[in-house]
Amino acid sequence: MSRGRCNDAPNNATGRKIQADASLINNQNNEDLGKLFKTLKLGWLGDFGGSYLCEDGIVTHCKYSLDKFQFIGGACVESISDAPFSSEKLWDAWMAIRSRRILESILECIGGSEGDIPERLKARNVKPEAVWECENGLGVTSQQLQKAVKVVEAWACCVDELFQTYDYLVLPSSQVYPF
């Protein structure tokens, strides 16, 4: 995501670039990791203020793992207990944008008129989820699309503001444990 969209935010909370990928982290001992994480300020989003339900134990397990950053190198971990943005508004916006974009992409590929797309997909035995996306996309007006884009822009500004305080935002990467 491009930084400074809403203002001239620095690269991170400390004003410096931080680059650390998994290979860098995996090949370090605790002392080296301590140096890497010593000045980091991490914002723990958890379950986004209860908006993203997780299987029992996921949030606790992730928070426990995150606490290791403090132990190893003194990284500052702060919990952001309230959702910084309405997850419902964000979900609705992404759904509108996604459905409309899928419809437009399919229309570009197979041509024809928008209203015919769902039936043409059904005739080609395209999976029901793709048909559903196109049907939803047909219902998205240009005004709804503009409103959805504004919601996503507001979310991006919210994230930019968070990155003025935190170097990284952290939340579980999955809501359920693997099989």
Side-chain angles (χ1 to χ4, degrees), residues 16 33-40 73-76:
R16 62 185 167 79
L33 284 174
K35 291 175 188 173
L36 179 65
F37 297 121
K38 187 164 122 181
T39 60
L40 293 182
C76 176

mmCIF file of all heavy atoms in Angstrom, residues 16 33-40 73-76:
data_model
loop_
_atom_site.group_PDB
_atom_site.id
_atom_site.type_symbol
_atom_site.label_atom_id
_atom_site.label_comp_id
_atom_site.label_asym_id
_atom_site.label_seq_id
_atom_site.Cartn_x
_atom_site.Cartn_y
_atom_site.Cartn_z
ATOM 1 N N ARG A 16 12.144 5.566 9.925
ATOM 2 C CA ARG A 16 13.167 4.853 9.163
ATOM 3 C C ARG A 16 12.527 3.678 8.433
ATOM 4 O O ARG A 16 11.468 3.220 8.796
ATOM 5 C CB ARG A 16 14.278 4.365 10.075
ATOM 6 C CG ARG A 16 13.808 3.385 11.121
ATOM 7 C CD ARG A 16 14.954 3.024 12.072
ATOM 8 N NE ARG A 16 14.432 2.351 13.226
ATOM 9 C CZ ARG A 16 14.074 1.065 13.253
ATOM 10 N NH1 ARG A 16 14.187 0.319 12.193
ATOM 11 N NH2 ARG A 16 13.595 0.518 14.348
ATOM 12 N N LEU A 33 18.128 -11.102 16.462
ATOM 13 C CA LEU A 33 16.720 -10.728 16.396
ATOM 14 C C LEU A 33 16.421 -9.584 17.357
ATOM 15 O O LEU A 33 15.638 -8.692 17.046
ATOM 16 C CB LEU A 33 15.822 -11.932 16.732
ATOM 17 C CG LEU A 33 15.668 -12.981 15.640
ATOM 18 C CD1 LEU A 33 14.887 -14.176 16.167
ATOM 19 C CD2 LEU A 33 15.007 -12.406 14.415
ATOM 20 N N GLY A 34 17.054 -9.625 18.524
ATOM 21 C CA GLY A 34 16.877 -8.551 19.501
ATOM 22 C C GLY A 34 17.268 -7.205 18.920
ATOM 23 O O GLY A 34 16.575 -6.210 19.115
ATOM 24 N N LYS A 35 18.361 -7.169 18.181
ATOM 25 C CA LYS A 35 18.791 -5.924 17.546
ATOM 26 C C LYS A 35 17.784 -5.469 16.493
ATOM 27 O O LYS A 35 17.493 -4.285 16.358
ATOM 28 C CB LYS A 35 20.161 -6.104 16.899
ATOM 29 C CG LYS A 35 21.282 -6.289 17.888
ATOM 30 C CD LYS A 35 22.584 -6.580 17.174
ATOM 31 C CE LYS A 35 23.675 -6.966 18.159
ATOM 32 N NZ LYS A 35 24.894 -7.418 17.470
ATOM 33 N N LEU A 36 17.257 -6.432 15.748
ATOM 34 C CA LEU A 36 16.299 -6.121 14.695
ATOM 35 C C LEU A 36 15.007 -5.551 15.266
ATOM 36 O O LEU A 36 14.446 -4.595 14.745
ATOM 37 C CB LEU A 36 16.003 -7.378 13.866
ATOM 38 C CG LEU A 36 15.010 -7.249 12.726
ATOM 39 C CD1 LEU A 36 15.539 -6.308 11.647
ATOM 40 C CD2 LEU A 36 14.723 -8.614 12.125
ATOM 41 N N PHE A 37 14.533 -6.132 16.384
ATOM 42 C CA PHE A 37 13.230 -5.757 16.922
ATOM 43 C C PHE A 37 13.290 -4.718 18.033
ATOM 44 O O PHE A 37 12.257 -4.268 18.515
ATOM 45 C CB PHE A 37 12.493 -7.000 17.431
ATOM 46 C CG PHE A 37 12.194 -7.981 16.342
ATOM 47 C CD1 PHE A 37 12.677 -9.270 16.404
ATOM 48 C CD2 PHE A 37 11.440 -7.611 15.255
ATOM 49 C CE1 PHE A 37 12.406 -10.180 15.392
ATOM 50 C CE2 PHE A 37 11.159 -8.509 14.239
ATOM 51 C CZ PHE A 37 11.643 -9.788 14.308
ATOM 52 N N LYS A 38 14.482 -4.331 18.444
ATOM 53 C CA LYS A 38 14.655 -3.468 19.611
ATOM 54 C C LYS A 38 13.853 -2.171 19.549
ATOM 55 O O LYS A 38 13.274 -1.754 20.539
ATOM 56 C CB LYS A 38 16.145 -3.152 19.763
ATOM 57 C CG LYS A 38 16.503 -2.403 21.006
ATOM 58 C CD LYS A 38 17.984 -2.503 21.212
ATOM 59 C CE LYS A 38 18.639 -1.174 21.268
ATOM 60 N NZ LYS A 38 20.069 -1.246 21.443
ATOM 61 N N THR A 39 13.790 -1.557 18.408
ATOM 62 C CA THR A 39 13.138 -0.249 18.325
ATOM 63 C C THR A 39 11.755 -0.305 17.680
ATOM 64 O O THR A 39 11.163 0.733 17.412
ATOM 65 C CB THR A 39 14.009 0.725 17.512
ATOM 66 O OG1 THR A 39 14.190 0.195 16.203
ATOM 67 C CG2 THR A 39 15.354 0.943 18.190
ATOM 68 N N LEU A 40 11.249 -1.498 17.440
ATOM 69 C CA LEU A 40 9.954 -1.611 16.771
ATOM 70 C C LEU A 40 8.792 -1.297 17.694
ATOM 71 O O LEU A 40 8.810 -1.625 18.870
ATOM 72 C CB LEU A 40 9.758 -3.021 16.209
ATOM 73 C CG LEU A 40 10.662 -3.444 15.073
ATOM 74 C CD1 LEU A 40 10.293 -4.850 14.628
ATOM 75 C CD2 LEU A 40 10.559 -2.483 13.910
ATOM 76 N N GLY A 73 13.662 -8.865 22.007
ATOM 77 C CA GLY A 73 14.364 -7.637 21.682
ATOM 78 C C GLY A 73 13.784 -6.368 22.220
ATOM 79 O O GLY A 73 14.247 -5.293 21.877
ATOM 80 N N GLY A 74 12.787 -6.467 23.033
ATOM 81 C CA GLY A 74 12.226 -5.256 23.626
ATOM 82 C C GLY A 74 11.317 -4.476 22.709
ATOM 83 O O GLY A 74 11.091 -3.288 22.928
ATOM 84 N N ALA A 75 10.793 -5.110 21.673
ATOM 85 C CA ALA A 75 9.839 -4.414 20.812
ATOM 86 C C ALA A 75 8.656 -3.964 21.651
ATOM 87 O O ALA A 75 8.230 -4.656 22.566
ATOM 88 C CB ALA A 75 9.367 -5.329 19.683
ATOM 89 N N CYS A 76 8.151 -2.819 21.349
ATOM 90 C CA CYS A 76 6.984 -2.294 22.061
ATOM 91 C C CYS A 76 5.734 -2.839 21.378
ATOM 92 O O CYS A 76 5.531 -2.644 20.184
ATOM 93 C CB CYS A 76 6.998 -0.772 22.004
ATOM 94 S SG CYS A 76 5.548 -0.023 22.757
#
